[in-house]
Amino acid sequence: MAQHQITLTINGTERSLALDDPRVTLLDALRQHLDMTGTKKGCDHGQCGACTVMANGRRINSCLSLAVMHDGDTITTVEGLGEPENLSPLQAAFLHHDGFQCGYCTPGQLVSATAMIEEIKQNWPSVVSGDLEKVSLSDDEIRERMSGNLCRCAAYANIVDAIREAAKAEGVA
Amino acid sequence: MMDDMDLSLHHKMEEKDERNQLDQTAQDVLSKPLDRPEGPLKVTGRATYADEEHPEGTAHGVFVRSTVAHGWVTGMNTAALRKMPGVLAVVRDAKMLRNPAQGTAGEAPVQNPNEIFYVGQPIALVVAETLEQARHAALAARPKYEAKDGEFEVPLEDYETPPKKQSSEGDLDSAMGQAAHSVDSIYTTPAMGHAMMEPHAAVAQWDGGKLTIRASCQMLKYNVAELADSLGVKAKNVRILSPYVGGGFGGKLGISHEAVAAALAARKLKRPVSVALHRRNVFEATTRRSETRQRLRLCCDDQGHLTGFGHEAWVSSLHGESFSEPVTQASSFTYAGDNRVIGHHIARLNITCAGSMRAPGEAVGVPIVECAMDELAEKAGIDPVDFRLRNIPEKDPSTGKPYSSNRLADCLTEGAKAFGWEKRGEVAHQREGEWLIGLGVASAVRVNMLMNSEATITLDPDGHAVVETDMTDIGTGSYAILTQLAAEMLGLPMDRVKTVLGDSDLPPSSGSGGSFGAASAGSSVMLAARALREKIAERLGVEEKDVTLKDGNAISGNKVTPLTEILAGERLKAKGEIEPGATGDDVRQATWGAQFAEVAVSAITGEVRVRRLDATFACGRILNPKTARSQCIGGMVFGLGSALTEELSYDLRNGRLMTRDLADYHIPSNLDVPPMNVTFLEDRDPYANPMQAKGIGELACCGTAGAILNAIHNATGIRVRDFPATPDKVIEAIEAAQGQG
């Protein structure tokens, strides 16, 4: 098979990757080829959200996207949000509010929430938005916008608490 | 340096323990809402799960799944598959499993995948250099079958009726005939899936005759024995690593296909092999909760006192499996009634193997009992909370044994107050636009257990401690509570205690299952710490009970001695071991709760939205209120899913699972989940264990579905007796009721 040479900027670092198979998803490129296993595989079908990463600032299911489609893209994964000794405010809020149990969906929840707060800042409405001109961060907005990230341990209520706190600290209300 | 293991303390729970030692310790970290110590790793993606550490040269395996439900594999295009790019092997081995081992089996489950019992059964493992190549080749497999007719449903008369699983007292038939009020209802619940977020995975590597396998397992002590037996090797040559488990809920109790197949392939190829189940494999080929048919016969006198209690269940599993959903487990002891019948019937079907799933038995049995209790309360014209309060027995009505602790009445009374139960109106009384509003209640009950469990604590000369046990943390909070326990008992700040779990080379624990993990593993840690305390006290020349340990110091009389001084450069290591004893048989042990729901039901679409969930639980000493609450809200949402959305649907023509992924098997998502309140009653059960702590994680999912279904009735006047209460069933019942009206 032909070699596919791609370059990704992952969490601020440029990474070159030679793929001899175009079927490698962005998720498997991260997990299998770059040893970045923070991004999780829950369903491989775009149904659970555990594989959520940001591509050029926008959250996507990395299992539904082929790595070769992302040549030149900027990718943010959970490893890029913070470190164990230096958590992002949202990661710290997840820890404090116990917004996870088994922790497997957690990287996806965190990347998704990080991108979601930006969506609120940019005034993107959702199906539950009362006012399309000025979107506010109500609990229902958080729940609706985070419903693409399943959590079987069902830490949902704590996830909402964590996101609300972190967003408010950032001045998003 | 002293011998590493000079200290040990073994305790068998032969009698109640009212010392309540954990009420007398001074460090004040136990029972505090501390963050999980492993949390920073989980929120940064640094915690590594089963399929996340691949040794150099790891190959990838993907299963070929059976497309028929019953019969034999007679051949496969193996030679053609072997020629596909990157393919290293097509493993067809009689040691591969038919289905995963049942929880605590400790031996191989049924093997030989050539005989097919259900659609989706793994029949071969294709191993290739890359995942993409293995997947491609597995999909290109063309097995030949000698297919037989499968059984996907059977008439009631064809169910097995094991004599040991039937019981009766008095004469229920005549009690029903003579009663002032009675209910005789049939309910059904669907098969359900664990749907843990991390699919089963295993990475196997051999070093000579020794196997090391990273896998997602709940009970390592048993899993090692099951894996060794499946492979035909000695257990001492098998090591399982499961430091982080991405959820289990019972779905990872026993060793599963991927671990055995990965080990076989790795041995054959002499290189590491990773097998991660695809989500559809997980649903089709691991285990499920059985569907149930339940008949409830309840009757009472004109004062609302139960005179009869009958609960019969029909469930299913594969041929030869000993486990069958113990639907009536709590029915023998929850409510009064002199005339009783318990029935249990099993069908052998050609669908996914049935196994334990969060609160096996009670999770589907209790909601149905609670719905039937609601029906009878209504017939008797008595408030449902009051009706339950009238029927709480003094002692186990089936055996006459005393309860170790029965706080159901307290839970109902306190819970009703906290929820605002007095606002509940008459049936179909409250409407907001298209939404019909209703409130419902259900009791929650779950048996409480203790299992053998061992742990060690090593106390280093510098005053740091390491807790070690093969216990797992499947999200339950084991890392947190075991660290807190050791810190509390040894008087150390949290950051001076480290807990190492999930390695089968460590002392064998209960593992995670049956809500006995915290009680069992916790007790062993407590005992190991007590052994260390005894040694420390001995060196100070006092009794263990007379020494206070706090912040790295020992305080006795009015003298403060640093631990480092007492250790005097030595390292102490102690083993603690808990063993269940007579307190497990002499008294009826259970955990208790009352759950309340407020729902809104659309009179137009039949959609049910849960607006509020409240619960009050009595489940012993709470070791960490933060992680305990998380267990409870998680359990309540688990119950919400079973009430409204979750169903494994099999095509009855061919046995195919139609809801085999997360798009079709609907677990609750964030927007489905309402605000929730959880209250823990102060509780100490001296019969449970030396900590007076009990199970939590399963109790919380036992009452929720009953409360929701009863709230739907209060809102609309209809009874949905076929779970889950999906909009089609709800609107049909509403329209039928309107037609009658």
Side-chain angles (χ1 to χ4, degrees), chain B residues 121 156 205 250 327 449 513 523 617:
Chain B
Q121 180 178 319
L156 292 181
Q205 183 174 26
V327 178
M449 294 173 274
S523 292
F617 297 117

Side-chain angles (χ1 to χ4, degrees), chain B residues 415-484:
Chain B
K417 213 181 296 172
F419 181 70
W421 180 251
E422 75 282 356
K423 295 194 200 88
R424 178 175 177 270
E426 295 298 308
V427 164
H429 193 68
Q430 196 184 344
R431 183 164 185 153
E432 295 173 9
E434 73 174 90
W435 297 98
L436 308 170
I437 314 302
L439 307 185
V441 64
S443 302
V445 53
R446 168 76 176 152
V447 294
N448 188 62
M449 294 173 274
L450 181 69
M451 301 284 272
N452 285 82
S453 207
E454 297 176 27
T456 57
I457 304 179
T458 307
L459 193 51
D460 281 329
D462 65 355
H464 282 73
V466 179
V467 178
E468 293 179 298
T469 166
D470 81 357
M471 181 61 186
T472 48
D473 188 331
I474 62 172
T476 39
S478 309
Y479 281 108
I481 60 139
L482 298 182
T483 308
Q484 286 172 279

Side-chain angles (χ1 to χ4, degrees), chain A residues 23 31-32 38 40-42 45 47 79 82 91 96 98 101-103 110 143-144 147 152-154 156 158, chain B residues 36 42-43 46 49 52 60 136 193-195 247 279 475 626 629-631 634 638 646 662-663 668 670-671:
Chain A
R23 297 170 296 186
R31 287 175 61 86
Q32 311 275 4
K40 305 303 181 193
K41 184 183 285 189
H45 268 30
Q47 298 164 347
E79 290 98 335
Q91 287 171 320
H96 181 63
D98 215 28
Q101 292 186 37
C102 80
L110 280 156
R143 290 190 186 107
E144 159 63 19
S147 283
R152 184 54 155 170
C153 301
Y156 295 125
N158 294 351
Chain B
R36 294 167 197 258
K42 285 181 174 174
V43 299
R46 267 73 167 183
Y49 297 79
E52 303 191 342
H60 298 264
H136 186 190
H194 307 81
R279 177 57 63 183
K626 184 180 289 193
R629 177 179 174 276
S630 290
Q631 281 287 292
F638 216 84
E646 292 181 34
L662 293 167
N670 204 318
L671 195 59

Side-chain angles (χ1 to χ4, degrees), chain B residues 203-329:
Chain B
V203 183
Q205 183 174 26
W206 292 86
D207 180 7
K210 288 195 183 265
L211 170 68
T212 301
I213 190 156
R214 282 183 68 92
S216 196
C217 295
Q218 294 183 223
M219 312 183 97
L220 301 192
K221 169 173 72 181
Y222 301 100
N223 303 142
V224 163
E226 291 151 4
L227 182 54
D229 191 26
S230 300
L231 297 170
V233 301
K234 290 196 168 71
K236 66 174 184 180
N237 291 328
V238 173
R239 182 184 186 193
I240 302 180
L241 299 171
S242 301
Y244 300 100
V245 179
F249 312 107
K252 295 169 180 171
L253 290 178
I255 207 72
S256 173
H257 307 279
E258 70 289 348
V260 174
L264 291 168
R267 187 160 65 183
K268 182 181 170 116
L269 292 168
K270 297 186 170 52
R271 61 187 279 192
V273 172
S274 153
V275 180
L277 293 193
H278 189 273
R279 177 57 63 183
R280 289 178 167 175
N281 296 147
V282 175
F283 275 111
E284 287 185 334
T286 61
T287 56
R288 65 182 169 101
R289 191 197 297 286
S290 173
E291 77 290 348
T292 74
R293 175 184 188 269
Q294 302 182 45
R295 183 185 186 191
L296 265 293
R297 283 182 287 166
L298 305 182
C299 55
C300 66
D301 62 21
D302 59 1
Q303 297 301 303
H305 296 114
L306 284 168
T307 53
F309 190 106
H311 189 184
E312 294 151 274
W314 288 258
V315 301
S316 73
S317 191
L318 287 178
H319 280 279
E321 291 299 306
S322 57
F323 174 87
S324 60
E325 183 80 22
V327 178
T328 58
Q329 190 157 253

Side-chain angles (χ1 to χ4, degrees), chain B residues 104-128:
Chain B
T104 74
E107 60 183 16
V110 175
Q111 293 172 279
N112 188 8
N114 282 327
E115 186 174 9
I116 298 165
F117 285 84
Y118 57 94
V119 172
Q121 180 178 319
I123 52 178
L125 184 79
V126 179
V127 188

Side-chain angles (χ1 to χ4, degrees), chain B residues 152-164:
Chain B
F152 311 120
E153 57 178 348
V154 297
L156 292 181
E157 58 269 24
D158 286 356
Y159 279 67
E160 298 168 9
T161 301
K164 278 187 182 166

